[in-house]
Amino acid sequence: MSQTLKAIQPLKAVRGTRDLLPPETELWNHIDATARRVFARYNFGEIRTPIFEDTQLFARGVGEETDIVSKEMYTWEDKARAQSEKAQSLTLRPENTAGVVRACIEHKLGEQGLLQKLYYIGPQFRRERPQKGRYRQFFQIGAEVIGPPSAGSESPLRDAEVLEMLATLLDELGITGWRLLINSVGTPQDRPRYIATLRSALQPVVGQMCADCQRRAETNPLRVLDCKHPEDQPIIATLPRIWDSLDEESRAHFEQVCEALDACGVPYEHDHRLVRGLDYYTRTTFEFQHGGLGAQNALLGGGRYDGLSEAIGGPRAPGIGFAIGEDRLVLTLQAQAETARADRADAYIAPMGEARNAMALGLARELRAAGLRVELGDGSFRLKKSFEIADKLARKIAILGEDEAASRILTVKDFATGEQMKVPWAELKAHLLPH
Ligand code: HAM
């Protein structure tokens, strides 16, 4: 009996989510281990909070009007399982600061009057339009310093210490070319004053701005400062700065953060437009950016949230923290490794035994004539030594031993992928060309 077999479409990972496979997972583990090591030196301990929380936590903590809460959360109604139970609105965490502060309140961690220094590593979820460096499930490495004011939680020294720790972590990971941007968004009293000033400054010019800015000017004028449209930039440059709406205390706090950074040699820029998209921020806000990331150039972001604990029903417990986008850290390290490799010779030819030297020189001549950049080893070198030198100088090594000379098929290893293959002499040129 013949049966028509319907092809079953293989299922794929959901849009905006990714599988992380070896060997890339090694890099992720290396980053996690480096972060844990650095955080331990600053006396941070690890906290693990649930991946979903009561929706109210984010509504109250992050802010009902923010993009995250108003349109990016994965929320569902968890039905009652028994008559005595009530249905509950739950949300996959879009960020972890609110969860950490909730846990501090729930476990009364501040009760002994000490600062809590907690770090976390884990997935977060936002329904954003996926693109390079922006995913719907992404990973953050974050840390929070929080506690009663009597423990020094409001001190500008805490801000500077957190920023200095981040500079140390990025340096230890080998990230080069990062920029630290800092700003102050003031107190909850300063902000409405600034928003009112901004609204009136926008009124006569907003008609000439992009559609997004026209909408933001109505709903959330601070977001106008994030606009990347080149035509809007000259207008944004003329808008009033939040600095002019800050009270004396906020200004003095910011200046002390800057002084402490100067004293420990961490470079930074004061970016008046850095207001950030979460409502809980007060005073210091910051971002570390990296040019290699394209549009999604924020490697990490953070700031102070002196009123968050009270906003979710806890005692007064000012805090400061950050979250690194681990996906973006991985992209940056991969791009750096690629650039470093692009700087190397196309191939290193390793003759095995001095009897192969002449043939190796002939091969090098042929490849160089074809425009390839070639390093030539020496037959007196052992295989291990040839590999060590080649790994520093070239993207690939071509081994010319007795068998290879006889068969005219060379063994070639690609250092970037670790792949090793047999390549006939005639195909070497094409194989060694950079892609
Ligand atoms: P955030 O700026 O929303 O802050 O996120 C921090 C970092 O997470 C961003 O700079 C970026 O690297 C990464 N990130 C955010 N969204 C995505 C995405 N869709 N795909 C990939 N990476 C992403 C917070 O989450 C705050 N909780 C940080 C904080 C901690 N503030 C104080 N304490």
Side-chain angles (χ1 to χ4, degrees), residues 68 72 94-98 120 124-126 128 131 133-140 142-144 276-278 280-281 286-288 293 296-305 320-329:
I68 296 179
E72 294 170 0
E95 63 98 54
N96 211 20
T97 309
Y120 52 86
Q124 318 291 332
F125 307 85
R126 294 183 195 175
E128 293 195 83
Q131 65 179 83
R134 189 163 71 194
Y135 311 100
R136 291 180 166 181
Q137 172 174 320
F138 59 99
F139 291 81
Q140 284 187 340
E144 315 291 346
R276 309 222 348 106
L278 297 91
Y280 52 60
Y281 288 120
F286 59 86
E287 257 176 37
F288 279 70
L293 282 166
Q296 302 305 314
N297 64 355
L299 257 185
L300 68 94
R304 217 167 231 297
Y305 43 85
I320 178 158
F322 62 85
I324 306 174
E326 194 171 7
D327 305 75
R328 298 186 188 176
L329 212 53

Side-chain angles (χ1 to χ4, degrees), residues 173-412:
L173 283 169
I175 302 266
T176 53
W178 50 261
R179 284 170 67 206
L180 163 59
L181 308 179
I182 59 174
N183 194 19
S184 176
V185 294
T187 62
Q189 291 74 44
D190 296 334
R191 205 125 25 126
R193 209 165 40 233
Y194 177 58
I195 292 174
T197 316
L198 194 57
R199 267 190 209 280
S200 48
L202 276 168
Q203 218 170 23
V205 290
V206 74
Q208 306 154 40
M209 301 182 82
C210 70
D212 276 343
C213 280
Q214 304 202 6
R215 187 175 40 78
R216 289 174 188 143
E218 286 295 317
T219 56
N220 191 351
L222 284 182
R223 298 264 65 81
V224 168
L225 303 178
D226 288 339
C227 174
K228 303 240 161 62
H229 262 250
E231 306 88 73
D232 289 355
Q233 301 312 308
I235 301 178
I236 295 172
T238 65
L239 294 173
R241 293 173 159 188
I242 196 162
W243 182 257
D244 299 316
S245 301
L246 299 188
D247 65 15
E248 276 313 308
E249 229 178 292
S250 294
R251 287 189 194 194
H253 192 277
F254 184 77
E255 278 159 2
Q256 287 171 52
V257 175
C258 296
E259 276 164 28
L261 289 175
D262 289 337
C264 64
V266 173
Y268 61 89
E269 297 159 45
H270 183 177
D271 179 354
H272 290 274
R273 282 171 59 175
L274 189 75
V275 287
R276 309 222 348 106
L278 297 91
D279 276 358
Y280 52 60
Y281 288 120
T282 50
R283 299 198 270 201
T284 315
T285 51
F286 59 86
E287 257 176 37
F288 279 70
Q289 299 187 347
H290 199 280
L293 282 166
Q296 302 305 314
N297 64 355
L299 257 185
L300 68 94
R304 217 167 231 297
Y305 43 85
D306 294 343
L308 177 56
S309 172
E310 288 145 298
I312 57 177
R316 176 147 176 76
I320 178 158
F322 62 85
I324 306 174
E326 194 171 7
D327 305 75
R328 298 186 188 176
L329 212 53
V330 168
L331 281 173
T332 309
L333 285 171
Q334 285 170 334
Q336 278 184 200
E338 204 42 57
T339 316
R341 264 194 296 280
D343 224 35
R344 295 172 177 204
D346 298 312
Y348 180 95
I349 298 171
M352 293 292 111
E354 285 171 41
R356 306 281 103 65
N357 272 353
M359 197 176 196
L361 180 61
L363 175 60
R365 177 173 162 82
E366 200 179 311
L367 296 176
R368 286 167 178 155
L372 289 165
R373 201 165 122 195
V374 175
E375 269 287 347
L376 183 57
D378 192 283
S380 66
F381 296 169
R382 287 179 176 278
L383 191 61
K384 185 162 174 268
K385 178 171 173 183
S386 298
F387 265 94
E388 279 168 9
I389 304 175
D391 193 15
K392 294 198 182 88
L393 296 176
R395 291 184 296 107
K396 292 182 181 172
I397 183 169
I399 296 153
L400 183 59
E402 196 177 342
D403 290 349
E404 284 88 357
S407 64
R408 293 180 69 83
I409 298 177
L410 277 78
T411 306
V412 178

